[in-house]
Amino acid sequence: MLPNNRKPYKKTKETTVRSAASSAEPAGVSTSPRRKRKIPWYKKILRMMVPTKKDSTSDKIRKIIFDVAIIVFIGSCSYLISYYGQSDHNAKFYNGVAGLLGNGEVSENYPRAYLTKFASLWEMNEDIVGWLSIDGTQVNYPVVQTDDNDYYLHKDFSKADNKYGIPFADCRVDIEKPSTNIPIYSHNMKDGQMFGELINYQSLDYYKQHPVINFDSLYEEGKYKIVGMFIASTLPEHAPNFEYHNFIEAETDEELMAFANEVLSRSLIVTGVDIQPGDQLITLSTCTYDFKEARFAIVARRVREGESETVDTSASYVNPNPVMPKAWYEAKKIAALVAGVSLSPENLSLKPGETASLTATVLPNTAVNRNVSWSSSDSAVASVDQYGNVTAHKTGVAVITVTTEESGYTASATITVGAGAITAMHFSNESVGIPVDGNIDLISLLVVEPEGASKEGLIWTTSDPAVASVLDGVVTGKKIGSAVITATTANGVSASITVKVGTYIPVTGLSISGPSIVAPKKSVQLQAVIAPENATMRTVSWSSSDERVATVDNTGKVTGVKEGKTQIKATLYDSVNGEFVAYYSVTVSKGGTIELATNEAEIAVGKRVYIEFSSSNSEDVVWTIAAGDGQINLSVDGSDLVIQGVKAGTVQIRGSFSDGSGAVTLTITVTPGASSAPEQQPDAPSSSGEAPSVSEPSGPENPDPGETDPENPDPGETDPATDDSSSSVPSIWG
């Protein structure tokens, strides 16, 4: 219930009637309506924004959506103000840093090896290693380096916290040397600062405007021509991977060229700039957002000495088929499985010695795994390397096949190697013999270059038709004597051989004798054994089945190259019985043995003894006097140790190879009386190989103790003024 003197406001517009006592008020005075309460403005706004219990469901939803929109709007405004504030601050900061480059004095503490233009920057931050810029872009920053690649991710040049960071060189790089490749990292900022503009290099027009990168290290200034730009991944599952950031130092030229081939195959633009052994590289790397953990990198190589700094970009074009990570295709929803391979050209004609390139195209263009392998059906005719480069060797036909790593698709090209013109020729023998009325075909003895060149059309002449005639290379004996037969090509290349006509003893057999073991870089002599011994034909040609293991000259001298086995081939052509071939297995090994004819000997003072030795692989033997109370003079003559007694006593001589292996010991007893091993000159040196020369100490030989020397009557004494043989141990080396 409401009080009697108050009625609800909403139920009446009339004024409240006072009690009867109020009727006595003066005439002309009346009552007025009550005023409404005024609601403050902020409460009105709150009523519009804040849901209340009295609000309907639709009003509540409307207010909540409105509130969220207001919050998002305020947050966005705050972010934009903060972002562009930081962007402006960062740009102004690095503009100020750039103003220090080349300005300021050089302090006493500044390293003298550094370029003076970095002095002020070094005073500000000693981590500086260079300055990076690209003309016409925002890229114009100092480059720093520490032993922690994460340190400068969110710190600026003053080492203050800054989400923009600063370009920094990989901690593994040697700036002073410098390393083969210098990876430099920085952020891809949306406002284009730091490495944000590098993403524009995916455009051919942008590349053409900015084909050169400037990077001055603390030690030298340099301009770098862009070789290629590509998208890569840091995750193994995004194969085919390219760990470009781990390529710092090339141990071999092959490593550098393998890196170059990866860059070129992945580059989004074919720039036409190459990489050669000895080139210095920089790699600029930043993030891209094509897929998770994606990276965008640019590889450039230093302008070579004497090379123009400008780049002709007129021939540059977009690569229609760059190698991309698997994740890129997945992100673009593009099929990435290998469906085939093609090879171009499919037919190729070459001459011996010529080279050509085959191009394999993995299908489709979007296939991820483009790895292929190459093979030749006959490498003796034409060989192929891992990049599809074909080299012709001799006349014949070879099929080159390319096979995809994924799914094993193949394609083939037929290589036909023709003869070509003869550029040089000679006969395998200096002379041949035939009987009267006998004949021989000299074409089989004619060796031409290049191998397989046609021998047709040669002009044959004889110096004495009365002794020997020749027709198309076939010589016929006319009478006893000799004649020179000459073959000449149309372009003037010629070769000659002497034909002896007379009593002819044909060859019936051929074999090889000699050492079967040789050390690397040492030689042994092989002998061709011809039966019968008085056979007319004596000229033998030699060859090795593997010249990477051992080579052989035209006398049968075999020289070891590296450890392994090879077959030495001897060939002899007989005019009557045709060709004879003999094979001999030779092993190249460091593990040789030394053999002595005896391990002990006795000689008298003033006498000599010759002791034969041999090395199983002809490796040099080092002889030294190891111990003893006697004294000798020691030298080497071919395969013999030459030992002369000087002072009575016992002497031990040690022989070994240069690495100390194969050691043997020879004990020499020097007596003042007659020798139990009479002096004798040995036979010819052993065919097992020559030993190294050893220098013999200077000084006169001691006289025979059986004779009286008027200058020194006591044969057991020597004149210290003239004999220096006892003053030092002989100097011996291999």
Side-chain angles (χ1 to χ4, degrees), residues 21 31 60 108 117 241 245 277 284 372 454 462 654-655 693 721:
T31 61
K60 289 179 180 179
E108 294 182 358
K117 70 178 183 179
N241 277 349
H245 59 289
L284 309 186
V372 297
S454 175
T462 175
R654 184 179 184 273
S693 297

Side-chain angles (χ1 to χ4, degrees), residues 388-406:
N389 298 316
V390 178
T391 302
H393 299 291
K394 69 176 184 179
T395 302
V397 176
V399 177
I400 303 299
T401 301
V402 63
T403 305
T404 62
E405 184 177 81
E406 180 182 310

Side-chain angles (χ1 to χ4, degrees), residues 672-686:
S675 170
S676 61
E679 177 179 348
Q680 58 182 9
Q681 180 66 36
D683 295 332
S686 170

